[in-house]
Amino acid sequence: MSDLQPREQWNTRLGFILAAMGSAVGLGNIWRFSYVTGENGGAAFLLVYLLCIVAIGIPILMAEFTIGRKAQSDAVGSFSKLAPGKPWVIAGILGVASAFIILSFYGVIAGWTLHYFTQYITGGLASEPAGGYGDYFGGFITSTFHPLFWQFLFMALTIGIVYGGVKKGIEKSNKILMPLLAVLVIVLAGYSMTLGGASEALSFLFTPDWSALANPSVYLAALGQAFFSLSLGMGALITYGSYLSKEHRLPGAAVSVAGLDTLFAILAGLMIFPAVFAFGIDPSAGPGLVFITLPGIFDNIAGGQLFGLLFFFLLAAAALSSAVSLLEVAVAYFMRKFEWTRQKTALLIGGIIFLLGIPSSLGMGVLSGVTIIGGRDILDSADFLASNIFLPLGGLVIALFLGWGWKKADALQDSDFGDTTVGNAWVFVLRYFAPVAIFIIFLSSIGLF
Ligand code: TRP
């Protein structure tokens, strides 16, 4: 029985932080952040997003680390172990469900990234195709089999890493690639600023148009983006925290993960939006935004093909370490629950998630008439349901669990905060502020507040 084997442990504190960062930094920072920011009006949204990160995200991130390390179990098992027979476990169950949903469409977008990477290897995108990059992108995503092939390949890579196990597979990946991605994004942001759209982009990103805040869906979008980007609310960080031994300190790790994740998002904004304005692209163009904008940058830059190749390679690598954390949530749970081997579980669950993602891909083309939630296509509906509803809901339960389900003294001790001002503020946020804020944002988005 897997519970009787010693649990795998991260080798070092740095290994754990890097794995958590690898989970956090991914398509959410570049693909999702830029299009959601674009759709929601820029600066005012960005401000609400940052507030969500600091006032709700970081405290819940700390809560997940604390729960995982204490329980030494998976997203579901952690709750049933720490509070047997109590309803808190609902957060874990929601989390496993979210892992299925999110990874199903994440694999589709990551597949697009892989395709763009190979197009830069072969030179297929080195110069602007007839009809422009927008048409090229549209043609690619609306075809039936081509994107499925790349989605399959990406999922196979993800499964391969999870198959190998936490230490072999997860800890070693990304130690070099993430810093490289950061450097590349900074260089590209610098270049993007020279294309002529810099001042428009800076005012779009940093001069709030307060009227955007009149739209209640902005708050839900910001909250969902904060949860998605931090890998929060579904037990991914509980699961990672569970591979941590007791002697590691948590608060510093939580702040570094959130800080780096936010930095990546802002840099991505500085890379994308100047080019968006320079090329006259509509910032609210939706999920294709980076796939249409970036090739335009590479087309302008000397040695652009090499930049394009590197960028999409590193983005795919970042997506891979995020996808691994999503799959790991489900795999860790089913392994324990059914006493399957890691290998069998990874193949089976990963395979199911690939199949689940197929409709999201086909929704761009043959199934493009299908809309599910509020006029959204299949991929958008899956994203909306999981990211904007399930993750914040899971986060709400996690906050309440730590705030009310634990003795305060235990919470302070198990989090490494101790009885300090920051520690007490943290418990206050988990008890009152975060739950109330999430609740109000939910109510306002359905027009009740
Ligand atoms: N945070 C990742 C990104 O920004 C995606 C991700 C990985 C995720 N694990 C998660 C999102 C768990 C929500 C929950 O790309």
Side-chain angles (χ1 to χ4, degrees):
M1 172 169 168
S2 50
D3 251 13
L4 295 180
Q5 293 166 9
R7 250 183 118 63
E8 285 183 273
Q9 299 276 322
W10 303 111
N11 280 330
T12 59
R13 173 181 149 93
L14 184 67
F16 160 70
I17 295 183
L18 280 167
M21 286 173 172
S23 167
V25 175
L27 294 170
N29 303 68
I30 292 176
W31 160 74
R32 201 175 187 282
F33 173 79
S34 47
Y35 98 78
V36 174
T37 303
E39 275 182 347
N40 287 283
F45 168 86
L46 187 57
L47 200 72
V48 180
Y49 168 71
L50 292 176
L51 278 176
C52 287
I53 295 269
V54 173
I56 302 175
I58 295 179
I60 295 181
L61 208 156
M62 262 308 290
E64 287 206 27
F65 282 173
T66 305
I67 294 169
R69 187 180 60 175
K70 171 94 169 180
Q72 300 281 306
S73 185
D74 54 86
V76 175
S78 290
F79 292 96
S80 31
K81 200 158 155 186
L82 295 176
K86 298 267 174 60
W88 303 114
V89 68
I90 183 87
I93 295 166
L94 261 178
V96 174
S98 308
F100 276 82
I101 305 175
I102 294 178
L103 186 52
S104 77
F105 70 80
Y106 205 85
V108 174
I109 311 288
W112 298 354
T113 311
L114 278 182
H115 169 69
Y116 270 62
F117 164 56
T118 57
Q119 284 302 95
Y120 278 99
I121 297 184
T122 60
L125 278 172
S127 58
E128 184 148 358
Y133 290 112
D135 270 13
Y136 176 83
F137 174 71
F140 167 62
I141 64 166
T142 52
S143 57
T144 301
F145 294 108
H146 199 180
L148 290 181
F149 168 78
W150 293 107
Q151 180 205 350
F152 176 82
L153 196 73
F154 180 81
M155 288 303 297
L157 291 172
T158 308
I159 293 167
I161 294 183
V162 173
Y163 186 101
V166 185
K167 250 206 220 146
K168 254 185 289 167
I170 302 173
E171 190 165 355
K172 293 211 182 83
S173 63
N174 258 26
K175 275 192 192 172
I176 313 160
L177 300 184
M178 227 177 0
L180 269 182
L181 180 64
V183 171
L184 192 60
V185 171
I186 292 171
V187 170
L188 291 174
Y191 182 75
S192 178
M193 296 277 193
T194 68
L195 292 171
S199 63
E200 243 180 306
L202 291 176
S203 79
F204 180 75
L205 280 175
F206 301 115
T207 312
D209 166 9
W210 300 114
S211 69
L213 297 183
N215 180 355
S217 68
V218 164
Y219 304 92
L220 189 64
L223 185 70
Q225 176 60 24
F227 272 81
F228 188 95
S229 194
L230 293 174
S231 299
L232 218 56
M234 53 161 273
L237 301 173
I238 291 181
T239 309
Y240 273 18
S242 78
Y243 302 126
L244 197 57
S245 65
K246 304 277 183 203
E247 67 261 26
H248 297 303
R249 315 213 118 247
L250 296 180
V255 171
S256 344
V257 171
L260 185 86
D261 188 69
T262 308
L263 189 68
F264 258 99
I266 290 176
L267 288 173
L270 291 173
M271 167 179 73
I272 302 289
F273 287 104
V276 162
F277 289 106
F279 301 151
I281 296 171
D282 178 4
S284 60
L289 193 64
V290 297
F291 294 95
I292 299 167
T293 308
L294 285 169
I297 303 185
F298 301 134
D299 193 26
N300 273 280
I301 206 168
Q305 188 178 345
L306 183 66
F307 278 99
L309 185 158
L310 262 177
F311 178 82
F312 283 107
F313 170 74
L314 293 169
L315 182 58
L320 190 59
S321 59
S322 300
V324 161
S325 76
L326 285 159
L327 184 56
E328 178 68 17
V329 169
V331 166
Y333 167 66
F334 284 103
M335 263 171 78
R336 176 184 59 81
K337 178 87 182 162
F338 297 112
E339 301 181 14
W340 292 338
T341 62
R342 167 171 282 281
Q343 288 76 3
K344 172 181 165 183
T345 319
L347 284 170
L348 187 72
I349 303 298
I352 293 175
I353 292 176
F354 164 70
L355 295 176
L356 274 178
I358 291 177
S360 283
S361 181
L362 296 182
M364 306 290 150
V366 285
L367 298 181
S368 63
V370 181
T371 56
I372 307 177
I373 305 178
R376 294 176 175 82
D377 63 22
I378 301 174
L379 190 150
D380 254 7
S381 300
D383 187 355
F384 178 83
L385 179 70
S387 312
N388 293 7
I389 310 291
F390 284 9
L391 295 182
L393 205 58
L396 178 83
V397 178
I398 289 169
L400 292 174
F401 174 54
L402 227 135
W404 298 101
W406 286 28
K407 285 204 207 76
K408 186 171 176 187
D410 287 348
L412 289 175
Q413 198 195 341
D414 293 328
S415 60
D416 305 331
F417 270 126
D419 193 2
T420 54
T421 315
V422 189
N424 283 289
W426 174 63
V427 174
F428 175 83
V429 169
L430 294 179
R431 282 190 175 170
Y432 305 102
F433 181 77
V436 170
I438 293 172
F439 194 64
I440 289 179
I441 291 176
F442 275 149
L443 288 187
S444 79
S445 71
I446 49 175
L448 284 182
F449 191 81

